[in-house]
Amino acid sequence: MPYSEAFKDHLTNPRNAGELADANAVAEETNPVCGDRLRLSLRVVDGSIEVARFLAYGCPPTLACGSVLTEMIQGKSVEEARQLTRADLLNALGGLPSHKQHAAALAVETLRTTLESGCSGLLSW
Amino acid sequence: MSSTRRVYLDHSATTPADPRVVAAMMPYLTERFGNASSVHFFGQEARGAVDRARREVAGLIGARSNEIVFLSGGTEANNLAIRGLCEAVEPHGRHIITSSIEHSSVRGICEALEKRGWEITRLPAYEDGIVKVEDVRSSLRTDTVLISVMLANNEIGTIQPIQEIAALIRQERAQGCKHLWLHTDAVQAAGRIPIEVEQLGCDLLSLSAHKLYAPKGAGALYVRRGVRISGQNVGGHQERERRAGTEAVPGIVAFGTAARIADEELSVRNSHTAGLRERLESTVAERVPDIVFNGHPDRRLSHISNISFRFIEGQSLLISLDLEGIAVSTGSACSSGTLEPSPVIRALGRNDELARGSIRFSFGKDNTVADVGYLVDVLSRVAEKLRSLSPLNPKAMASRRFPQTVGRD
């Protein structure tokens, strides 16, 4: 099994799963090649991410990346969240096999789209 | 969390070697090490063992000993059957009829031949996963030389109408089509349903040892007497010029022993796995919503159950079960970032979501009722959790929060 303990933990006990009813930034991205999906909903207050929730469909790395992403961005400012990279996610999960790293790319892309959706819709940011 | 309990439900992938089989092969790894082609005592001892194994394997399918060619496994058997026959009969035509649910080895060989100018007709398997004889009839052409349809499917277990296809071929031959042959891949079926090649009417039939509680590395091709194939391994006289190379005596002995035991225990094993499967399917249907059973309900092998779980991707379910000690398989694959929903489940007309969410459970002779209970408990819990994460699940989308997940506000 190439997966780390951190990875297995996120898969077995996903953090922050669900959909926020009072989100002010929401986006869903699909990997056009493999069909995996990630949906993020955030509640942003005074420029910082107060609550983050995710939904994911796809291979295990997509699920684990969604889970670890919400854990990493909750409590962070929007600016800090923008700086998050694929490598940060991979480190937090103890690495992924090279052919599964596209899951981290999907997570980062979904985060950026979600933050954009919030920026354009919410002048208070 | 990780668990020490291990439940193996992937017997269509491979089976553990039976201790009786291992005991029979051991002497041929040690003191009886001769080369079966050597004329001295050591060689003849090995030759005798290979001959006995050949009778045992022939016995499993009602063939004559000299119709059995020992090989390395099922994939080689399919390669030798299709390539070997096609090369031998090429002057008479270059058209093959096969099905859309064949094992990847048959699919791969057909694709390779297609690149070399052969024409391939792939028959539909419809919603129940069974090929129609009428489709074979309507696909026949004057240049058709081979029909290759599996005896039972490896993912959904459906049993194909090989006897009826053979009857059709006999009619065609009676009308003058002398160069039309029938191959069937019986790797999953052998030892699980009774096979009599005379009754079945095929010309070539593939077998694999490790699906029958023998080790990996041995297989066989049945070649009906009078059918000519071109050997693909050349440079030796072994296996009546059809497969050059020193016989892998220990594996062959194991295969023979496993075939004999499978023949003797066939009905006991069948009723055992059928009972476990029935228990699985009825309890899963009660406890897990939004599932679809794949394949014909009756015309299938007794040990395979294939279920699609809506809103869930098969790899995620597989890994989640594996983390709880349960081994199953999925036909879908996510490799190199490429989506590959199970081609077999797609061929049943299922959409991509159902094809991606399909799981195969395959029972063996040593599984127990307690295994099924453990499986269903874990499966219902894991499926519910994965669905609570799924953006395809309307309930997950509507809900704000899930109590079974950890989080901080």
Side-chain angles (χ1 to χ4, degrees), chain A residues 1 8 12-17 19 33-34 36-37 39 53 55-60 71 74 100, chain B residues 1 311 313 316 322-323 334 337 339 356 385 389 391-392 397 399-401 405-409:
Chain A
M1 175 84 66
K8 288 190 265 186
T12 317
N13 306 298
R15 326 294 203 261
N16 308 308
E19 172 92 339
V33 184
C34 71
D36 284 6
R37 293 200 204 181
R39 186 177 173 88
R53 292 283 179 270
L55 291 173
Y57 168 83
C59 59
E71 207 174 48
Q74 251 179 181
K100 295 289 188 186
Chain B
M1 288 277 105
F311 319 131
E313 205 273 335
S316 287
D322 186 42
L323 293 177
C334 176
L339 169 67
R356 286 189 75 182
K385 185 177 69 193
L389 308 180
L392 305 187
M397 293 292 284
S399 170
R400 294 180 57 182
R401 190 68 202 281
T405 65
V406 182
R408 61 191 168 95
D409 282 306

mmCIF file of all heavy atoms in Angstrom, chain A residues 1 8 12-17 19 33-34 36-37 39 53 55-60 71 74 100, chain B residues 1 311 313 316 322-323 334 337 339 356 385 389 391-392 397 399-401 405-409:
data_model
loop_
_atom_site.group_PDB
_atom_site.id
_atom_site.type_symbol
_atom_site.label_atom_id
_atom_site.label_comp_id
_atom_site.label_asym_id
_atom_site.label_seq_id
_atom_site.Cartn_x
_atom_site.Cartn_y
_atom_site.Cartn_z
ATOM 1 N N MET A 1 0.849 -1.203 0.000
ATOM 2 C CA MET A 1 0.000 0.000 0.000
ATOM 3 C C MET A 1 0.883 1.250 0.000
ATOM 4 O O MET A 1 1.620 1.487 0.943
ATOM 5 C CB MET A 1 -0.906 -0.038 1.242
ATOM 6 C CG MET A 1 -1.751 1.219 1.421
ATOM 7 S SD MET A 1 -3.273 1.232 0.485
ATOM 8 C CE MET A 1 -4.137 -0.101 1.276
ATOM 9 N N LYS A 8 -4.506 7.702 4.875
ATOM 10 C CA LYS A 8 -5.527 6.733 5.285
ATOM 11 C C LYS A 8 -6.464 7.354 6.319
ATOM 12 O O LYS A 8 -7.662 7.105 6.310
ATOM 13 C CB LYS A 8 -4.859 5.469 5.845
ATOM 14 C CG LYS A 8 -4.197 4.640 4.737
ATOM 15 C CD LYS A 8 -3.750 3.287 5.242
ATOM 16 C CE LYS A 8 -2.313 3.302 5.647
ATOM 17 N NZ LYS A 8 -1.793 1.979 6.005
ATOM 18 N N THR A 12 -10.418 7.644 5.946
ATOM 19 C CA THR A 12 -11.287 6.952 6.908
ATOM 20 C C THR A 12 -12.119 7.945 7.727
ATOM 21 O O THR A 12 -13.270 7.672 8.041
ATOM 22 C CB THR A 12 -10.424 6.100 7.872
ATOM 23 O OG1 THR A 12 -9.417 5.444 7.103
ATOM 24 C CG2 THR A 12 -11.256 5.041 8.551
ATOM 25 N N ASN A 13 -11.507 9.066 8.080
ATOM 26 C CA ASN A 13 -12.210 10.080 8.887
ATOM 27 C C ASN A 13 -12.159 11.428 8.177
ATOM 28 O O ASN A 13 -11.409 12.319 8.583
ATOM 29 C CB ASN A 13 -11.536 10.232 10.261
ATOM 30 C CG ASN A 13 -11.427 8.898 10.969
ATOM 31 O OD1 ASN A 13 -12.426 8.269 11.278
ATOM 32 N ND2 ASN A 13 -10.199 8.454 11.203
ATOM 33 N N PRO A 14 -12.941 11.582 7.134
ATOM 34 C CA PRO A 14 -12.866 12.845 6.381
ATOM 35 C C PRO A 14 -13.253 14.027 7.264
ATOM 36 O O PRO A 14 -14.204 13.938 8.038
ATOM 37 C CB PRO A 14 -13.884 12.661 5.260
ATOM 38 C CG PRO A 14 -14.368 11.267 5.326
ATOM 39 C CD PRO A 14 -13.974 10.678 6.633
ATOM 40 N N ARG A 15 -12.478 15.120 7.150
ATOM 41 C CA ARG A 15 -12.753 16.330 7.933
ATOM 42 C C ARG A 15 -13.665 17.251 7.130
ATOM 43 O O ARG A 15 -13.484 17.399 5.923
ATOM 44 C CB ARG A 15 -11.458 17.105 8.234
ATOM 45 C CG ARG A 15 -10.201 16.301 8.461
ATOM 46 C CD ARG A 15 -10.252 15.445 9.712
ATOM 47 N NE ARG A 15 -8.899 15.136 10.164
ATOM 48 C CZ ARG A 15 -8.271 13.985 9.907
ATOM 49 N NH1 ARG A 15 -8.858 13.026 9.240
ATOM 50 N NH2 ARG A 15 -7.036 13.799 10.359
ATOM 51 N N ASN A 16 -14.587 17.888 7.818
ATOM 52 C CA ASN A 16 -15.364 18.976 7.218
ATOM 53 C C ASN A 16 -16.118 18.588 5.949
ATOM 54 O O ASN A 16 -16.136 19.327 4.966
ATOM 55 C CB ASN A 16 -14.437 20.163 6.908
ATOM 56 C CG ASN A 16 -13.615 20.563 8.117
ATOM 57 O OD1 ASN A 16 -14.165 20.783 9.186
ATOM 58 N ND2 ASN A 16 -12.308 20.616 7.964
ATOM 59 N N ALA A 17 -16.714 17.421 5.973
ATOM 60 C CA ALA A 17 -17.487 17.009 4.801
ATOM 61 C C ALA A 17 -18.860 17.648 4.842
ATOM 62 O O ALA A 17 -19.439 17.808 5.908
ATOM 63 C CB ALA A 17 -17.624 15.496 4.784
ATOM 64 N N GLU A 19 -21.906 20.458 2.913
ATOM 65 C CA GLU A 19 -22.174 21.651 2.110
ATOM 66 C C GLU A 19 -22.698 22.717 3.068
ATOM 67 O O GLU A 19 -23.604 22.449 3.843
ATOM 68 C CB GLU A 19 -23.237 21.292 1.057
ATOM 69 C CG GLU A 19 -23.765 22.433 0.263
ATOM 70 C CD GLU A 19 -23.003 22.649 -1.027
ATOM 71 O OE1 GLU A 19 -21.852 22.201 -1.129
ATOM 72 O OE2 GLU A 19 -23.568 23.271 -1.925
ATOM 73 N N VAL A 33 -10.343 14.953 -17.503
ATOM 74 C CA VAL A 33 -9.760 13.683 -17.983
ATOM 75 C C VAL A 33 -10.337 12.486 -17.232
ATOM 76 O O VAL A 33 -10.790 11.527 -17.832
ATOM 77 C CB VAL A 33 -8.221 13.700 -17.862
ATOM 78 C CG1 VAL A 33 -7.629 12.427 -18.440
ATOM 79 C CG2 VAL A 33 -7.655 14.919 -18.552
ATOM 80 N N CYS A 34 -10.340 12.583 -15.899
ATOM 81 C CA CYS A 34 -10.762 11.400 -15.140
ATOM 82 C C CYS A 34 -12.161 11.505 -14.557
ATOM 83 O O CYS A 34 -12.688 10.529 -14.045
ATOM 84 C CB CYS A 34 -9.751 11.057 -14.048
ATOM 85 S SG CYS A 34 -9.760 12.219 -12.689
ATOM 86 N N ASP A 36 -13.189 13.099 -11.946
ATOM 87 C CA ASP A 36 -13.266 13.344 -10.508
ATOM 88 C C ASP A 36 -13.822 14.746 -10.254
ATOM 89 O O ASP A 36 -13.559 15.668 -11.028
ATOM 90 C CB ASP A 36 -11.883 13.224 -9.857
ATOM 91 C CG ASP A 36 -11.466 11.777 -9.702
ATOM 92 O OD1 ASP A 36 -12.200 10.891 -10.194
ATOM 93 O OD2 ASP A 36 -10.417 11.522 -9.101
ATOM 94 N N ARG A 37 -14.574 14.897 -9.161
ATOM 95 C CA ARG A 37 -15.192 16.191 -8.852
ATOM 96 C C ARG A 37 -14.870 16.610 -7.437
ATOM 97 O O ARG A 37 -14.839 15.774 -6.535
ATOM 98 C CB ARG A 37 -16.701 16.074 -8.931
ATOM 99 C CG ARG A 37 -17.232 15.818 -10.307
ATOM 100 C CD ARG A 37 -18.680 16.226 -10.267
ATOM 101 N NE ARG A 37 -19.422 15.542 -11.304
ATOM 102 C CZ ARG A 37 -20.717 15.746 -11.503
ATOM 103 N NH1 ARG A 37 -21.386 16.564 -10.717
ATOM 104 N NH2 ARG A 37 -21.338 15.116 -12.458
ATOM 105 N N ARG A 39 -16.095 19.827 -4.690
ATOM 106 C CA ARG A 39 -16.962 20.987 -4.459
ATOM 107 C C ARG A 39 -16.594 21.580 -3.112
ATOM 108 O O ARG A 39 -16.510 20.877 -2.117
ATOM 109 C CB ARG A 39 -18.414 20.518 -4.459
ATOM 110 C CG ARG A 39 -19.421 21.632 -4.374
ATOM 111 C CD ARG A 39 -20.830 21.054 -4.452
ATOM 112 N NE ARG A 39 -21.813 22.074 -4.204
ATOM 113 C CZ ARG A 39 -22.335 22.856 -5.155
ATOM 114 N NH1 ARG A 39 -21.966 22.724 -6.410
ATOM 115 N NH2 ARG A 39 -23.231 23.772 -4.851
ATOM 116 N N ARG A 53 -16.178 23.613 3.863
ATOM 117 C CA ARG A 53 -16.749 22.266 3.720
ATOM 118 C C ARG A 53 -16.431 21.747 2.324
ATOM 119 O O ARG A 53 -16.334 22.520 1.368
ATOM 120 C CB ARG A 53 -18.269 22.307 3.887
ATOM 121 C CG ARG A 53 -18.733 22.652 5.294
ATOM 122 C CD ARG A 53 -18.598 21.456 6.225
ATOM 123 N NE ARG A 53 -19.012 21.797 7.577
ATOM 124 C CZ ARG A 53 -18.208 22.274 8.513
ATOM 125 N NH1 ARG A 53 -16.921 22.470 8.228
ATOM 126 N NH2 ARG A 53 -18.651 22.556 9.707
ATOM 127 N N LEU A 55 -17.191 18.458 -0.704
ATOM 128 C CA LEU A 55 -17.796 17.218 -1.192
ATOM 129 C C LEU A 55 -16.892 16.733 -2.310
ATOM 130 O O LEU A 55 -16.363 17.535 -3.083
ATOM 131 C CB LEU A 55 -19.210 17.461 -1.728
ATOM 132 C CG LEU A 55 -20.293 17.833 -0.706
ATOM 133 C CD1 LEU A 55 -21.596 18.200 -1.410
ATOM 134 C CD2 LEU A 55 -20.545 16.680 0.279
ATOM 135 N N ALA A 56 -16.689 15.410 -2.409
ATOM 136 C CA ALA A 56 -15.799 14.900 -3.453
ATOM 137 C C ALA A 56 -16.305 13.577 -3.994
ATOM 138 O O ALA A 56 -16.874 12.755 -3.270
ATOM 139 C CB ALA A 56 -14.387 14.727 -2.898
ATOM 140 N N TYR A 57 -16.086 13.408 -5.295
ATOM 141 C CA TYR A 57 -16.398 12.148 -5.961
ATOM 142 C C TYR A 57 -15.191 11.781 -6.793
ATOM 143 O O TYR A 57 -14.698 12.601 -7.568
ATOM 144 C CB TYR A 57 -17.617 12.305 -6.874
ATOM 145 C CG TYR A 57 -17.839 11.150 -7.809
ATOM 146 C CD1 TYR A 57 -18.501 9.997 -7.373
ATOM 147 C CD2 TYR A 57 -17.361 11.184 -9.116
ATOM 148 C CE1 TYR A 57 -18.688 8.927 -8.227
ATOM 149 C CE2 TYR A 57 -17.550 10.109 -9.973
ATOM 150 C CZ TYR A 57 -18.216 8.984 -9.528
ATOM 151 O OH TYR A 57 -18.391 7.918 -10.361
ATOM 152 N N GLY A 58 -14.696 10.570 -6.621
ATOM 153 C CA GLY A 58 -13.572 10.148 -7.443
ATOM 154 C C GLY A 58 -12.685 9.182 -6.708
ATOM 155 O O GLY A 58 -13.104 8.553 -5.729
ATOM 156 N N CYS A 59 -11.441 9.104 -7.160
ATOM 157 C CA CYS A 59 -10.518 8.140 -6.565
ATOM 158 C C CYS A 59 -10.109 8.618 -5.161
ATOM 159 O O CYS A 59 -10.291 9.787 -4.815
ATOM 160 C CB CYS A 59 -9.319 7.928 -7.481
ATOM 161 S SG CYS A 59 -8.393 9.403 -7.826
ATOM 162 N N PRO A 60 -9.564 7.719 -4.339
ATOM 163 C CA PRO A 60 -9.260 8.070 -2.952
ATOM 164 C C PRO A 60 -8.424 9.350 -2.786
ATOM 165 O O PRO A 60 -8.725 10.152 -1.897
ATOM 166 C CB PRO A 60 -8.515 6.836 -2.431
ATOM 167 C CG PRO A 60 -9.044 5.720 -3.259
ATOM 168 C CD PRO A 60 -9.293 6.301 -4.619
ATOM 169 N N GLU A 71 -9.075 21.412 6.046
ATOM 170 C CA GLU A 71 -8.387 21.522 7.324
ATOM 171 C C GLU A 71 -7.311 22.613 7.268
ATOM 172 O O GLU A 71 -7.102 23.350 8.230
ATOM 173 C CB GLU A 71 -7.752 20.178 7.667
ATOM 174 C CG GLU A 71 -7.595 19.944 9.130
ATOM 175 C CD GLU A 71 -7.085 18.540 9.424
ATOM 176 O OE1 GLU A 71 -6.103 18.101 8.787
ATOM 177 O OE2 GLU A 71 -7.666 17.879 10.277
ATOM 178 N N GLN A 74 -9.096 26.457 6.841
ATOM 179 C CA GLN A 74 -9.994 27.016 7.862
ATOM 180 C C GLN A 74 -9.208 27.880 8.836
ATOM 181 O O GLN A 74 -8.182 27.441 9.354
ATOM 182 C CB GLN A 74 -10.715 25.900 8.607
ATOM 183 C CG GLN A 74 -12.166 25.858 8.236
ATOM 184 C CD GLN A 74 -12.963 24.770 8.912
ATOM 185 O OE1 GLN A 74 -14.126 24.668 8.647
ATOM 186 N NE2 GLN A 74 -12.364 23.957 9.754
ATOM 187 N N LYS A 100 -1.097 9.908 -9.179
ATOM 188 C CA LYS A 100 -2.284 10.346 -8.436
ATOM 189 C C LYS A 100 -2.201 11.821 -8.034
ATOM 190 O O LYS A 100 -3.081 12.336 -7.360
ATOM 191 C CB LYS A 100 -2.455 9.500 -7.168
ATOM 192 C CG LYS A 100 -2.740 8.028 -7.440
ATOM 193 C CD LYS A 100 -4.144 7.834 -7.991
ATOM 194 C CE LYS A 100 -4.501 6.359 -8.081
ATOM 195 N NZ LYS A 100 -5.791 6.144 -8.741
ATOM 196 N N MET B 1 -10.760 2.260 10.616
ATOM 197 C CA MET B 1 -9.344 2.153 10.983
ATOM 198 C C MET B 1 -8.796 0.826 10.536
ATOM 199 O O MET B 1 -9.535 -0.075 10.177
ATOM 200 C CB MET B 1 -9.207 2.283 12.498
ATOM 201 C CG MET B 1 -9.437 3.679 13.004
ATOM 202 S SD MET B 1 -7.995 4.723 12.870
ATOM 203 C CE MET B 1 -8.378 5.754 11.503
ATOM 204 N N PHE B 311 -23.387 7.092 -6.763
ATOM 205 C CA PHE B 311 -22.740 8.260 -6.129
ATOM 206 C C PHE B 311 -21.327 7.969 -5.625
ATOM 207 O O PHE B 311 -20.685 8.840 -5.054
ATOM 208 C CB PHE B 311 -23.557 8.825 -4.942
ATOM 209 C CG PHE B 311 -25.044 8.873 -5.162
ATOM 210 C CD1 PHE B 311 -25.934 8.370 -4.220
ATOM 211 C CD2 PHE B 311 -25.560 9.437 -6.328
ATOM 212 C CE1 PHE B 311 -27.311 8.421 -4.437
ATOM 213 C CE2 PHE B 311 -26.929 9.486 -6.547
ATOM 214 C CZ PHE B 311 -27.797 8.970 -5.596
ATOM 215 N N GLU B 313 -17.332 6.240 -6.280
ATOM 216 C CA GLU B 313 -16.359 5.754 -7.249
ATOM 217 C C GLU B 313 -15.770 4.435 -6.725
ATOM 218 O O GLU B 313 -15.463 4.314 -5.535
ATOM 219 C CB GLU B 313 -15.283 6.833 -7.436
ATOM 220 C CG GLU B 313 -14.572 6.787 -8.748
ATOM 221 C CD GLU B 313 -13.396 5.853 -8.721
ATOM 222 O OE1 GLU B 313 -12.859 5.611 -7.624
ATOM 223 O OE2 GLU B 313 -13.023 5.347 -9.785
ATOM 224 N N SER B 316 -12.493 4.257 -4.583
ATOM 225 C CA SER B 316 -12.621 4.763 -3.214
ATOM 226 C C SER B 316 -13.273 3.720 -2.313
ATOM 227 O O SER B 316 -12.877 3.543 -1.163
ATOM 228 C CB SER B 316 -13.454 6.045 -3.200
ATOM 229 O OG SER B 316 -12.689 7.087 -3.737
ATOM 230 N N ASP B 322 -10.555 -2.130 1.835
ATOM 231 C CA ASP B 322 -9.220 -2.698 2.076
ATOM 232 C C ASP B 322 -8.672 -2.237 3.425
ATOM 233 O O ASP B 322 -8.040 -3.014 4.143
ATOM 234 C CB ASP B 322 -8.277 -2.295 0.938
ATOM 235 C CG ASP B 322 -6.922 -2.972 1.045
ATOM 236 O OD1 ASP B 322 -6.890 -4.187 1.365
ATOM 237 O OD2 ASP B 322 -5.896 -2.310 0.839
ATOM 238 N N LEU B 323 -8.933 -0.966 3.766
ATOM 239 C CA LEU B 323 -8.463 -0.454 5.056
ATOM 240 C C LEU B 323 -9.153 -1.166 6.217
ATOM 241 O O LEU B 323 -8.679 -1.122 7.349
ATOM 242 C CB LEU B 323 -8.687 1.063 5.151
ATOM 243 C CG LEU B 323 -7.843 1.916 4.196
ATOM 244 C CD1 LEU B 323 -8.202 3.387 4.317
ATOM 245 C CD2 LEU B 323 -6.355 1.720 4.437
ATOM 246 N N CYS B 334 -8.502 4.182 -12.346
ATOM 247 C CA CYS B 334 -8.082 5.566 -12.520
ATOM 248 C C CYS B 334 -6.565 5.542 -12.534
ATOM 249 O O CYS B 334 -5.934 5.560 -11.487
ATOM 250 C CB CYS B 334 -8.596 6.441 -11.387
ATOM 251 S SG CYS B 334 -8.023 8.134 -11.473
ATOM 252 N N GLY B 337 -4.294 9.413 -14.390
ATOM 253 C CA GLY B 337 -5.265 10.479 -14.545
ATOM 254 C C GLY B 337 -6.292 10.235 -15.631
ATOM 255 O O GLY B 337 -7.020 11.126 -16.026
ATOM 256 N N LEU B 339 -9.675 8.415 -17.011
ATOM 257 C CA LEU B 339 -10.880 7.746 -16.565
ATOM 258 C C LEU B 339 -11.103 6.475 -17.372
ATOM 259 O O LEU B 339 -11.175 6.514 -18.587
ATOM 260 C CB LEU B 339 -12.082 8.669 -16.744
ATOM 261 C CG LEU B 339 -13.472 8.047 -16.570
ATOM 262 C CD1 LEU B 339 -13.701 7.638 -15.141
ATOM 263 C CD2 LEU B 339 -14.528 9.006 -17.037
ATOM 264 N N ARG B 356 -18.346 3.261 -13.098
ATOM 265 C CA ARG B 356 -17.235 3.605 -12.195
ATOM 266 C C ARG B 356 -17.478 3.098 -10.787
ATOM 267 O O ARG B 356 -16.539 2.866 -10.038
ATOM 268 C CB ARG B 356 -17.035 5.134 -12.138
ATOM 269 C CG ARG B 356 -16.394 5.711 -13.375
ATOM 270 C CD ARG B 356 -16.022 7.172 -13.169
ATOM 271 N NE ARG B 356 -14.837 7.308 -12.337
ATOM 272 C CZ ARG B 356 -14.320 8.490 -11.961
ATOM 273 N NH1 ARG B 356 -14.898 9.602 -12.337
ATOM 274 N NH2 ARG B 356 -13.238 8.532 -11.214
ATOM 275 N N LYS B 385 -20.734 6.543 4.371
ATOM 276 C CA LYS B 385 -19.769 7.623 4.591
ATOM 277 C C LYS B 385 -19.339 8.247 3.260
ATOM 278 O O LYS B 385 -19.334 9.472 3.112
ATOM 279 C CB LYS B 385 -18.549 7.086 5.345
ATOM 280 C CG LYS B 385 -17.563 8.178 5.703
ATOM 281 C CD LYS B 385 -16.405 7.649 6.503
ATOM 282 C CE LYS B 385 -15.554 6.767 5.622
ATOM 283 N NZ LYS B 385 -14.591 5.986 6.403
ATOM 284 N N LEU B 389 -20.057 12.269 1.328
ATOM 285 C CA LEU B 389 -19.051 13.169 0.747
ATOM 286 C C LEU B 389 -19.328 13.492 -0.711
ATOM 287 O O LEU B 389 -18.617 14.279 -1.311
ATOM 288 C CB LEU B 389 -17.662 12.506 0.750
ATOM 289 C CG LEU B 389 -17.073 11.914 2.001
ATOM 290 C CD1 LEU B 389 -15.701 11.340 1.685
ATOM 291 C CD2 LEU B 389 -16.956 12.988 3.043
ATOM 292 N N PRO B 391 -20.680 14.796 -4.162
ATOM 293 C CA PRO B 391 -21.478 15.859 -4.776
ATOM 294 C C PRO B 391 -22.518 15.305 -5.757
ATOM 295 O O PRO B 391 -23.373 16.053 -6.232
ATOM 296 C CB PRO B 391 -20.443 16.726 -5.494
ATOM 297 C CG PRO B 391 -19.279 15.827 -5.728
ATOM 298 C CD PRO B 391 -19.288 14.814 -4.629
ATOM 299 N N LEU B 392 -22.436 14.003 -6.066
ATOM 300 C CA LEU B 392 -23.448 13.404 -6.941
ATOM 301 C C LEU B 392 -24.685 13.004 -6.137
ATOM 302 O O LEU B 392 -25.720 12.701 -6.701
ATOM 303 C CB LEU B 392 -22.899 12.149 -7.630
ATOM 304 C CG LEU B 392 -21.604 12.270 -8.430
ATOM 305 C CD1 LEU B 392 -21.317 10.973 -9.163
ATOM 306 C CD2 LEU B 392 -21.689 13.423 -9.407
ATOM 307 N N MET B 397 -25.838 17.025 -0.961
ATOM 308 C CA MET B 397 -25.896 18.411 -1.428
ATOM 309 C C MET B 397 -26.896 19.215 -0.598
ATOM 310 O O MET B 397 -26.700 20.386 -0.352
ATOM 311 C CB MET B 397 -26.316 18.443 -2.895
ATOM 312 C CG MET B 397 -25.288 17.841 -3.820
ATOM 313 S SD MET B 397 -23.801 18.844 -3.905
ATOM 314 C CE MET B 397 -24.374 20.163 -4.963
ATOM 315 N N SER B 399 -27.819 18.654 2.529
ATOM 316 C CA SER B 399 -27.552 18.688 3.955
ATOM 317 C C SER B 399 -26.455 19.683 4.294
ATOM 318 O O SER B 399 -25.588 19.993 3.498
ATOM 319 C CB SER B 399 -27.158 17.288 4.408
ATOM 320 O OG SER B 399 -26.671 17.342 5.712
ATOM 321 N N ARG B 400 -26.457 20.152 5.521
ATOM 322 C CA ARG B 400 -25.439 21.125 5.922
ATOM 323 C C ARG B 400 -24.209 20.464 6.493
ATOM 324 O O ARG B 400 -23.108 20.964 6.375
ATOM 325 C CB ARG B 400 -26.017 22.080 6.963
ATOM 326 C CG ARG B 400 -27.123 22.953 6.417
ATOM 327 C CD ARG B 400 -27.651 23.857 7.491
ATOM 328 N NE ARG B 400 -26.599 24.689 8.064
ATOM 329 C CZ ARG B 400 -26.814 25.548 9.051
ATOM 330 N NH1 ARG B 400 -28.010 25.667 9.561
ATOM 331 N NH2 ARG B 400 -25.837 26.274 9.536
ATOM 332 N N ARG B 401 -24.394 19.361 7.168
ATOM 333 C CA ARG B 401 -23.292 18.830 7.946
ATOM 334 C C ARG B 401 -23.552 17.365 8.229
ATOM 335 O O ARG B 401 -24.693 16.950 8.343
ATOM 336 C CB ARG B 401 -23.211 19.600 9.272
ATOM 337 C CG ARG B 401 -21.987 19.336 10.081
ATOM 338 C CD ARG B 401 -20.761 19.898 9.367
ATOM 339 N NE ARG B 401 -19.581 19.218 9.867
ATOM 340 C CZ ARG B 401 -19.002 19.506 11.021
ATOM 341 N NH1 ARG B 401 -19.482 20.452 11.788
ATOM 342 N NH2 ARG B 401 -17.951 18.837 11.407
ATOM 343 N N THR B 405 -18.698 12.808 10.337
ATOM 344 C CA THR B 405 -17.404 13.332 9.932
ATOM 345 C C THR B 405 -16.857 14.270 11.007
ATOM 346 O O THR B 405 -17.604 14.861 11.775
ATOM 347 C CB THR B 405 -17.484 14.085 8.589
ATOM 348 O OG1 THR B 405 -18.309 15.225 8.786
ATOM 349 C CG2 THR B 405 -18.067 13.212 7.504
ATOM 350 N N VAL B 406 -15.557 14.357 11.011
ATOM 351 C CA VAL B 406 -14.877 15.153 12.025
ATOM 352 C C VAL B 406 -14.661 16.553 11.476
ATOM 353 O O VAL B 406 -14.402 16.728 10.300
ATOM 354 C CB VAL B 406 -13.499 14.514 12.334
ATOM 355 C CG1 VAL B 406 -12.794 15.285 13.424
ATOM 356 C CG2 VAL B 406 -13.666 13.052 12.712
ATOM 357 N N GLY B 407 -14.754 17.551 12.294
ATOM 358 C CA GLY B 407 -14.478 18.884 11.771
ATOM 359 C C GLY B 407 -14.355 19.885 12.905
ATOM 360 O O GLY B 407 -14.555 19.555 14.066
ATOM 361 N N ARG B 408 -13.961 21.078 12.558
ATOM 362 C CA ARG B 408 -13.918 22.101 13.597
ATOM 363 C C ARG B 408 -14.530 23.380 13.046
ATOM 364 O O ARG B 408 -14.353 23.708 11.877
ATOM 365 C CB ARG B 408 -12.485 22.335 14.080
ATOM 366 C CG ARG B 408 -11.535 22.813 13.009
ATOM 367 C CD ARG B 408 -10.100 22.759 13.510
ATOM 368 N NE ARG B 408 -9.185 22.953 12.420
ATOM 369 C CZ ARG B 408 -8.659 24.130 12.095
ATOM 370 N NH1 ARG B 408 -8.970 25.200 12.770
ATOM 371 N NH2 ARG B 408 -7.824 24.215 11.087
ATOM 372 N N ASP B 409 -15.244 24.062 13.865
ATOM 373 C CA ASP B 409 -15.872 25.307 13.433
ATOM 374 C C ASP B 409 -15.149 26.486 14.050
ATOM 375 O O ASP B 409 -14.491 26.345 15.065
ATOM 376 C CB ASP B 409 -17.344 25.340 13.863
ATOM 377 C CG ASP B 409 -18.170 24.487 12.915
ATOM 378 O OD1 ASP B 409 -18.081 24.734 11.700
ATOM 379 O OD2 ASP B 409 -18.872 23.571 13.381
#
